Amino acid sequence: MVIFENSGDQIILRDEKYYFRGEDGAHLSQYWEFEITKEDAELVMRDASYSTKLFLDYQNKLWGLVK
């Protein structure tokens, strides 16, 4: 169930877990969905710009740039 949406970014609650779903905004856009903490979900719902940080952190971990 989508519990928050802003400019195409969504916070989803599924099986008592929170997920972020968004688009990377590149020329050939890709949609991403990954699990986040309840605290991160609450931060995004208070300040939608926090979703950019979540997305960049996720990509950096995915690409092995940070642990």
Side-chain angles (χ1 to χ4, degrees):
M1 165 172 64
V2 175
I3 60 172
F4 177 80
E5 185 167 4
N6 183 43
S7 300
D9 292 337
Q10 298 176 336
I11 300 296
I12 299 163
L13 180 59
R14 183 186 316 128
D15 299 326
E16 298 182 23
K17 294 181 181 179
Y18 292 85
Y19 297 87
F20 173 79
R21 182 186 296 159
E23 178 183 10
D24 63 13
H27 178 66
L28 296 172
S29 293
Q30 181 174 356
Y31 291 88
W32 300 81
E33 182 175 310
F34 52 91
E35 188 175 349
I36 60 174
T37 65
K38 179 180 180 181
E39 292 77 19
D40 281 337
E42 290 170 348
L43 284 168
V44 170
M45 289 187 276
R46 279 197 302 258
D47 179 5
S49 66
Y50 187 75
S51 65
T52 301
K53 179 192 178 331
L54 279 180
F55 185 70
L56 292 175
D57 287 350
Y58 175 76
Q59 282 187 324
N60 285 336
K61 288 177 187 174
L62 187 68
W63 296 332
L65 301 174
V66 294
K67 295 183 184 208

